[in-house]
Amino acid sequence: MDDIKVSTDETAPGGSREFIAKVVGNDPKSDVALLKIEGEHVAELPRATMGDSDALQVGDYVIAIGEPFGLQATVTSGIISAKERALGPGSVYSDYLQTDASINPGNSGGPLFNLRGEVIGINSAIISGANTIGFAIPIAVVKQILPQLREKGRVVRGFMGVQPQAITADMVDQLGLKSTKGALISDVVRQSPAAEAGLKAGDVVVALNGRPVNDPNQFQRDVGSIGPGRVAKIDIMREGKTRTVEVKLKERPEDNEISERNPSQRGEESSPGDMLGVRVQTLTPDLAQRARVDEQTKGVVVMDVAPDSPAATAELEPGDVIVEVNRQEIASVDQYKKAIARLKKGGTALLRVRRGASASYVTVKLKS
């Protein structure tokens, strides 16, 4: 590993000084690392105080400090533009703060201060080509993982084994809900704690350990913060009824261990003129392999999508595997046809669709 050098601000009293640092621990999932500075007079260095990022409100003033494009000790100011931003599937453990304080290449790793001089975030990312849209890792995330980084050098997260997704307004009536708050379970990993506890696709998580669940990102972060071996109590909605399920979490494995691939039967094709505008075929071992889905999956694979059809508007694609229509499991073209025949023009169909290793619920608005 290359040596890590830490330089102090050359404009500070006494001038610039340089120290050697070593990595105590790092966590790629949250993009946070802990360094230890070594050398004489380290204890004399001034220190910043960590604040409370959870107490921030949109509109609060903040100050970013960094070295954009090599310009040392540059200070920019702005406000908190938004909270709890997710920057893609790999960022669920960072829960980013969005700010319009100018952040550029070289700012990453620098502090984001509130007006009390407390660090409330670590500058981390920007949207390329955008004007003053930057993101910072909340200091609450750092506080949460700091003990593990210091003691273990890595972060061990709890694993439940579910794939949650957001609930859209079109899904509310279909799922028997009153709002879009919660996390819809679109898939359950086989032999996972969730599977052992009896959780199913279609369950809606509304609370975790007594804390309301507002969206799937928050749910994943909160599950990750619970240590392996501990029991998580989750409140779910299933078929219009609330129930509490206890799940004993395990240590989260690597992502490539979670996404298992596997194939099913043979069947006829449907006509391309159904209400959804798709042509489907019963999943076969060969089709399952091409669609990269589990060999135990049952459903129908989309062979073709008619242009300007309801399915095309819902962004269904050839290769998608439909496993449910309006909460009814589909294992063949015949079952698919019967389910489609029960749909009404102008209504909405709730499909559960597998695309590769992922599964999600998709609403399709039918034409009148």
Side-chain angles (χ1 to χ4, degrees):
M1 179 183 291
D2 295 335
D3 290 337
I4 299 174
K5 295 182 179 180
V6 178
S7 299
T8 61
D9 180 10
E10 62 185 12
T11 62
S16 175
R17 287 185 286 174
E18 193 172 85
F19 298 87
I20 299 296
K22 69 175 184 179
V23 178
V24 176
N26 71 86
D27 179 41
K29 290 187 181 298
S30 64
D31 200 23
V32 173
L34 175 64
L35 305 181
K36 182 180 180 180
I37 301 175
E38 300 177 326
E40 295 183 5
H41 310 297
V42 168
E44 300 172 6
L45 292 174
R47 296 167 184 160
T49 301
M50 290 193 289
D52 183 1
S53 56
D54 290 337
L56 286 173
Q57 296 184 21
V58 173
D60 284 353
Y61 283 95
V62 290
I63 296 172
I65 298 180
E67 192 174 338
F69 299 105
L71 299 172
Q72 189 176 21
T74 295
V75 179
T76 56
S77 66
I79 62 170
I80 294 294
S81 305
K83 298 174 65 177
E84 299 181 357
R85 290 296 199 205
L87 303 183
S91 70
V92 295
Y93 296 111
S94 287
D95 187 18
Y96 289 90
L97 302 170
Q98 181 184 330
T99 177
D100 67 353
S102 294
I103 293 176
N104 290 285
N107 274 109
S108 293
L112 188 69
F113 288 97
N114 60 21
L115 294 188
R116 290 187 294 275
E118 299 167 333
V119 181
I120 45 80
I122 300 175
N123 302 323
S124 179
I126 59 174
I127 292 182
S128 179
N131 186 22
T132 61
I133 299 180
F135 302 92
I137 301 166
I139 207 66
V141 171
V142 179
K143 289 179 178 179
Q144 186 181 74
I145 67 176
L146 198 55
Q148 291 197 61
L149 290 178
R150 186 183 293 118
E151 297 164 13
K152 303 175 183 177
R154 67 188 186 100
V155 177
V156 178
R157 290 184 169 87
F159 173 66
M160 185 175 291
V162 298
Q163 181 179 316
Q165 74 172 83
I167 301 167
T168 66
D170 294 331
M171 297 178 182
V172 171
D173 290 339
Q174 295 273 8
L175 297 171
L177 304 175
K178 296 180 180 179
S179 73
T180 58
K181 289 187 176 181
L184 173 62
I185 296 177
S186 59
D187 199 16
V188 177
V189 177
R190 285 187 299 161
Q191 299 177 337
S192 66
E196 293 169 0
L199 290 177
K200 301 178 180 179
D203 289 343
V204 176
V205 182
V206 294
L208 172 64
N209 287 341
R211 181 189 179 193
V213 170
N214 295 315
D215 59 67
N217 290 327
Q218 175 216 333
F219 175 62
Q220 284 186 288
R221 286 191 299 272
D222 290 350
V223 169
S225 68
I226 301 173
R230 295 177 59 186
V231 174
K233 290 186 178 182
I234 63 172
D235 297 333
I236 63 170
M237 288 287 294
R238 179 183 293 174
E239 298 177 354
K241 297 180 180 179
T242 304
R243 65 178 69 187
T244 299
V245 179
E246 293 188 349
V247 185
K248 187 175 182 180
L249 304 184
K250 297 180 180 178
E251 179 177 343
R252 181 176 178 83
E254 293 301 319
D255 291 339
N256 60 352
E257 296 178 45
I258 297 174
S259 57
E260 299 174 326
R261 302 258 169 115
N262 291 320
S264 199
Q265 319 103 298
R266 181 167 191 102
E268 55 193 302
E269 292 187 0
S270 73
S271 72
D274 67 24
M275 294 180 70
L276 301 185
V278 298
R279 180 168 58 87
V280 300
Q281 182 173 328
T282 299
L283 202 61
T284 65
D286 180 56
L287 291 174
Q289 187 174 14
R290 286 192 230 165
R292 297 182 301 168
V293 296
D294 190 290
E295 64 181 6
Q296 297 184 14
T297 300
K298 294 182 179 180
V300 292
V301 62
V302 176
M303 306 300 292
D304 189 29
V305 180
D308 300 321
S309 65
T313 302
E315 299 183 348
L316 288 182
E317 301 175 356
D320 289 345
V321 178
I322 300 173
V323 296
E324 286 183 15
V325 176
N326 283 348
R327 307 302 307 281
Q328 176 187 338
E329 294 184 354
I330 302 297
S332 65
V333 169
D334 185 55
Q335 290 182 357
Y336 171 80
K337 288 179 177 179
K338 290 179 181 178
I340 294 300
R342 288 192 285 268
L343 301 178
K344 297 180 180 179
K345 292 183 178 181
T348 300
L350 180 65
L351 309 182
R352 183 166 174 252
V353 178
R354 283 198 170 278
R355 180 174 292 174
S358 299
S360 63
Y361 283 90
V362 178
T363 52
V364 181
K365 293 185 178 180
L366 307 177
K367 295 180 179 180
S368 300

